[in-house]
Amino acid sequence: MNIKQFLLKIDECISKMDTEELRNAIHEIARIYDEKERENFLNVINRCKDKKSKISKREKEDDKKISGKIKEIILKLNQINDGERKLDSEYNEEWDDWYNSDVDEILFYDNKQITEDIQEAMKCLHLCFDSECYEAGYELAEVLSSLEIYADGDYNEYDGSPLCVCDLFDYDLLKKGYDDFIKESLYITYAGNKHEVRAERIYAMLNNLCFPNIKIEKILQMGTEELHGTDEFIKDWIKLLGSKSDRAAERYIKEAQSLITDEDCILENARMFSSEYPVLYKQMLESDYCKNDIAQKYKIGKEALDNIPVDYSIRSDIALLTAEYSLSLGAKEETEGYWIEAFKSDTSVVNYWRIKNFSENSDKYSEVIRDIYENTLKKSKEKESWFSYDTKEKNSMCLTEYCNFLAFDGRFNDMINTGMNVKYSLGWSGSFMKQGIAYILICLFSDEKISEGINHMIRMTAFGNINVEKLYSGTLQTATEDDYSVKSAIIKLWKKSMIISDESADSWIEMIKRYIDLRVSGIMDANHRKYYDECAAFIAALGETMESRGMADAKIKLLMQYRDKYSRRRAFIAELKKFGLPE
């Protein structure tokens, strides 16, 4: 519950209480108040008691004194800003990017009392906050927050870009008061400006302060009295943030949206900013908005899916929320359509297996699913860059992820041609060699009980990484079994759908034999001991698969074959013993 919601509920409650009931309520609050906060509580009570007689605590003469002091301080700050006074700097000989990266690369020295003047400016800013001298305080806060501090010496040769006040705290040139400086600067910016420019100047101040991780709600709670015009400010604030497109703006607009109490306004904002901030739809659907009206939430979910571009990943979350509303209203067939929409916007393993595992007849979606992941790969390849500074995460896919879907659909030949074309024993980590071998062995393994080597193969594949909690999203169900059992059931479902001829199976086993032999030989030649366990797991899984297909004692024979071949590698033999090699 945010501050706006809390105060509304409090106001609603106390409006129905008489004097005696209010006395009892305050007494009860005081009784359970934490000892550390009792002094603050008494101060609040005393402020409220004196509020009627206190028109203004400040005198005009006090304002003039503070304003005069601010002008003197700003003159000093301007000297710093103009580079008339600079810090000194030198390289830190103890710094090393690899061995001692916790220490600063550059050491700064303040021989011109720069930080002393900045500290004095911060004290004056605090005085403005305490004395409610907001307009003059804003002038100081603006200069202080945008101050540029230059440095002579090694830093100037190495970088030369000016430091800001926040940097001075990072380099321990300023020791105390960082949080107070940020909060008081923002509060004074709010209180010292008219409502027409308030939102714009708050944003500029946040920009100067490098967008600290602070909630605007905390700023609204500061001061001795409740700030005026907060409802109007929040509307202006959202309108301003809606014109931005950075991650900081997204964080602030989500918070601002949560401070609105008018449900119609919440929906209007979600619609208005659906392109830049689709997260507002999701936030609204997850909130108490229309809490008891599932039909209305379902309607809004459908609307959001229409308004948000398909390639925005967050649309997948909204599709799953809509699926849950659909199920609550008894529309199972429509629900499956929303699982498809989730896969379109986030072409992930978990979204794939939700469709396969929970649909009444998943076969009818096979062609649709294949078209989706093929199209996602095609669009991903067409992108100019895999990296983006966009605030919205876009659905994309790399070749490794694509090969997972080839394996799920039993397209092993395509999987081999696409991801398993490494011709050398090393350099497998950037390919699909390991996962591809693992998928084929899991698929060809014929026993009901999963063996130790095959279990290692499962952990190498996407099966091992399925998030079971996410798998059940959009189903109104919860897993009644542990994660391992759920994943095992999915693997059984997958294997049941596979049709593989004995000829293909024999061919793949021979291929895997060659791959494993190549891999083990390369690992041994390069003496990469950290891969001994992985090699042993491949050997064991191959042997277990061959045994399950009728080749007696295949696993023991393989383990002993590699033991004899590398008899001097005791660490490798120790790994083989973990998979059943006899002593």
Side-chain angles (χ1 to χ4, degrees):
M1 189 184 301
N2 61 51
I3 187 64
K4 298 291 289 182
Q5 295 165 332
F6 180 64
L7 289 177
L8 277 174
K9 287 185 179 295
I10 290 295
D11 289 344
E12 182 183 351
C13 187
I14 63 178
S15 67
K16 300 172 183 176
M17 299 170 74
D18 59 27
T19 304
E20 187 62 29
E21 287 171 331
L22 282 169
R23 282 200 187 99
N24 291 336
I26 294 169
H27 182 85
E28 183 62 18
I29 292 168
R31 186 183 69 80
I32 63 175
Y33 226 66
D34 187 89
E35 184 179 0
K36 294 177 182 177
E37 296 294 327
R38 286 172 187 166
E39 192 67 34
N40 286 338
F41 185 75
L42 274 173
N43 290 337
V44 172
I45 293 293
N46 287 325
R47 279 207 310 269
C48 292
K49 183 181 69 175
D50 299 337
K51 199 169 184 179
K52 285 186 178 178
S53 60
K54 173 194 152 190
I55 298 173
S56 176
K57 199 167 73 174
R58 297 183 290 111
E59 297 290 338
K60 293 285 184 182
E61 287 299 317
D62 291 337
D63 281 358
K64 286 180 181 178
K65 286 179 184 177
I66 294 171
S67 296
K69 188 173 183 180
I70 286 173
K71 286 179 181 177
E72 291 176 10
I73 291 172
I74 287 177
L75 285 174
K76 294 179 182 179
L77 296 179
N78 285 338
Q79 289 177 345
I80 298 168
N81 202 61
D82 293 339
E84 294 177 25
R85 294 157 63 196
K86 299 180 182 180
L87 299 170
D88 294 309
S89 65
E90 66 178 10
Y91 283 120
N92 185 356
E93 293 180 3
E94 294 182 7
W95 181 86
D96 187 285
D97 190 29
W98 181 259
Y99 295 105
N100 197 11
S101 58
D102 290 336
V103 300
D104 290 329
E105 183 180 2
I106 299 285
L107 295 175
F108 290 96
Y109 303 99
D110 183 14
N111 298 317
K112 304 287 177 62
Q113 289 76 50
I114 289 172
T115 54
E116 187 178 310
D117 286 342
I118 293 173
Q119 206 77 64
E120 183 189 1
M122 288 182 179
K123 288 179 182 176
C124 189
L125 191 72
H126 180 70
L127 178 63
C128 292
F129 173 76
D130 268 356
S131 305
E132 300 175 10
C133 187
Y134 299 133
E135 289 183 18
Y138 170 66
E139 185 182 358
L140 176 60
E142 188 179 28
V143 172
L144 194 54
S145 67
S146 59
L147 187 66
E148 294 185 338
I149 306 105
Y150 295 88
D152 284 327
D154 290 339
Y155 176 77
N156 186 47
E157 295 176 13
Y158 166 72
D159 187 320
S161 60
L163 303 170
C164 63
V165 171
C166 296
D167 293 327
L168 300 185
F169 282 103
D170 288 340
Y171 283 108
D172 286 332
L173 292 167
L174 294 172
K175 302 290 184 182
K176 295 179 181 178
Y178 178 64
D179 289 341
D180 288 339
F181 162 60
I182 287 175
K183 289 189 286 187
E184 289 173 359
S185 295
L186 290 168
Y187 184 91
I188 286 170
T189 301
Y190 184 103
N193 283 285
K194 294 181 179 179
H195 71 85
E196 294 89 351
V197 295
R198 191 171 281 154
E200 185 180 328
R201 292 188 177 175
I202 286 281
Y203 189 85
M205 181 61 66
L206 285 167
N207 189 23
N208 289 344
L209 298 170
C210 305
F211 293 109
N213 189 20
I214 189 170
K215 290 188 174 183
I216 296 297
E217 179 182 355
K218 292 290 183 186
I219 307 305
L220 302 183
Q221 287 181 269
M222 292 173 64
T224 57
E225 294 182 3
E226 188 173 350
L227 286 169
H228 299 295
T230 55
D231 288 340
E232 187 176 31
F233 165 72
I234 290 167
K235 289 178 182 177
D236 292 341
W237 185 227
I238 289 175
K239 185 177 179 181
L240 174 69
L241 294 170
S243 66
K244 309 295 179 182
S245 57
D246 53 64
R247 293 199 179 278
E250 179 177 329
R251 172 158 48 91
Y252 291 124
I253 200 171
K254 283 171 66 179
E255 183 207 0
Q257 184 82 330
S258 72
L259 294 171
I260 297 175
T261 53
D262 183 346
E263 290 192 342
D264 291 337
C265 187
I266 293 172
L267 179 56
E268 182 183 340
N269 287 337
R271 286 170 173 163
M272 190 182 306
F273 305 118
S274 62
S275 178
E276 281 301 326
Y277 300 106
V279 69
L280 297 184
Y281 264 121
K282 180 186 175 185
Q283 181 183 0
M284 180 176 59
L285 292 171
E286 289 179 330
S287 71
D288 288 338
Y289 178 82
C290 296
K291 188 174 181 179
N292 300 315
D293 191 348
I294 300 298
Q296 176 65 6
K297 283 208 166 190
Y298 176 55
K299 182 180 176 183
I300 292 168
K302 288 175 65 177
E303 173 190 309
L305 293 175
D306 290 337
N307 287 350
I308 299 170
V310 173
D311 63 339
Y312 287 10
S313 298
I314 198 167
R315 185 176 177 276
S316 174
D317 298 334
I318 292 168
L320 295 177
L321 288 168
T322 309
E324 291 183 358
Y325 306 142
S326 175
L327 278 173
S328 298
L329 297 170
K332 176 67 192 293
E333 192 170 341
E334 288 185 28
T335 300
E336 294 180 3
Y338 296 122
W339 296 341
I340 295 287
E341 291 300 320
F343 188 58
K344 279 183 188 177
S345 297
D346 179 19
T347 311
S348 64
V349 169
V350 72
N351 284 344
Y352 175 98
W353 281 108
R354 183 183 302 105
I355 301 165
K356 289 287 186 179
N357 195 51
F358 293 105
S359 298
E360 290 183 2
N361 178 17
S362 64
D363 289 344
K364 67 181 181 181
Y365 300 122
S366 296
E367 191 174 336
V368 173
I369 289 171
R370 180 171 175 173
D371 286 345
I372 290 171
Y373 70 71
E374 291 283 0
N375 192 44
T376 302
L377 180 69
K378 182 181 176 183
K379 285 185 176 180
S380 299
K381 285 180 176 179
E382 290 171 353
K383 286 184 179 178
E384 290 183 9
S385 171
W386 290 97
F387 303 99
S388 171
Y389 294 99
D390 200 332
T391 57
K392 300 161 288 296
E393 290 186 14
K394 302 286 184 68
N395 185 30
S396 64
M397 182 189 297
C398 65
L399 278 177
T400 298
E401 293 166 325
Y402 174 68
C403 286
N404 282 322
F405 296 118
L406 295 179
F408 296 153
D409 281 353
R411 299 168 60 188
F412 282 167
N413 287 327
D414 289 339
M415 177 190 76
I416 292 166
N417 292 332
T418 302
M420 298 176 67
N421 44 23
V422 177
K423 297 178 181 178
Y424 303 98
S425 56
L426 303 179
W428 283 20
S429 297
S431 71
F432 203 70
M433 294 295 292
K434 297 176 188 179
Q435 300 98 312
I437 290 171
Y439 275 121
I440 294 172
L441 289 174
I442 296 165
C443 183
L444 297 182
F445 182 74
S446 299
D447 289 347
E448 275 293 315
K449 186 178 179 182
I450 296 175
S451 57
E452 195 172 0
I454 294 298
N455 208 19
H456 273 69
M457 296 300 103
I458 290 171
R459 290 201 290 269
M460 282 187 186
T461 66
F463 286 125
N465 296 321
I466 290 175
N467 184 315
V468 172
E469 184 180 350
K470 286 186 178 180
L471 178 71
Y472 279 80
S473 296
T475 68
L476 287 185
Q477 299 181 45
T478 52
T480 55
E481 298 175 299
D482 59 75
D483 285 9
Y484 182 81
S485 299
V486 173
K487 293 173 186 178
S488 296
I490 286 174
I491 291 169
K492 284 181 182 178
L493 177 67
W494 172 60
K495 292 174 69 170
K496 189 177 178 181
S497 68
M498 306 290 272
I499 302 172
I500 299 170
S501 67
D502 290 339
E503 183 182 357
S504 293
D506 292 341
S507 172
W508 288 334
I509 285 175
E510 289 303 315
M511 178 192 71
I512 289 172
K513 277 183 185 178
R514 294 193 301 273
Y515 279 142
I516 291 176
D517 199 52
L518 180 71
R519 179 66 168 172
V520 174
S521 176
I523 293 299
M524 295 304 164
D525 289 345
N527 201 26
H528 289 324
R529 294 181 58 160
K530 67 178 181 178
Y531 291 112
Y532 283 2
D533 58 340
E534 180 187 277
C535 290
F538 277 128
I539 293 165
L542 174 59
E544 290 162 4
T545 300
M546 292 166 67
E547 279 188 9
S548 75
R549 301 185 71 84
M551 302 177 200
D553 300 324
K555 179 179 177 180
I556 293 296
K557 288 176 181 177
L558 270 177
L559 292 171
M560 292 177 71
Q561 175 188 322
Y562 279 97
R563 178 201 64 186
D564 295 342
K565 188 173 181 180
Y566 300 102
S567 58
R568 299 181 66 182
R569 305 276 186 159
R570 288 187 293 176
F572 177 57
I573 291 170
E575 295 297 336
L576 294 175
K577 286 179 179 178
K578 292 178 183 179
F579 288 94
L581 176 70
E583 293 290 342

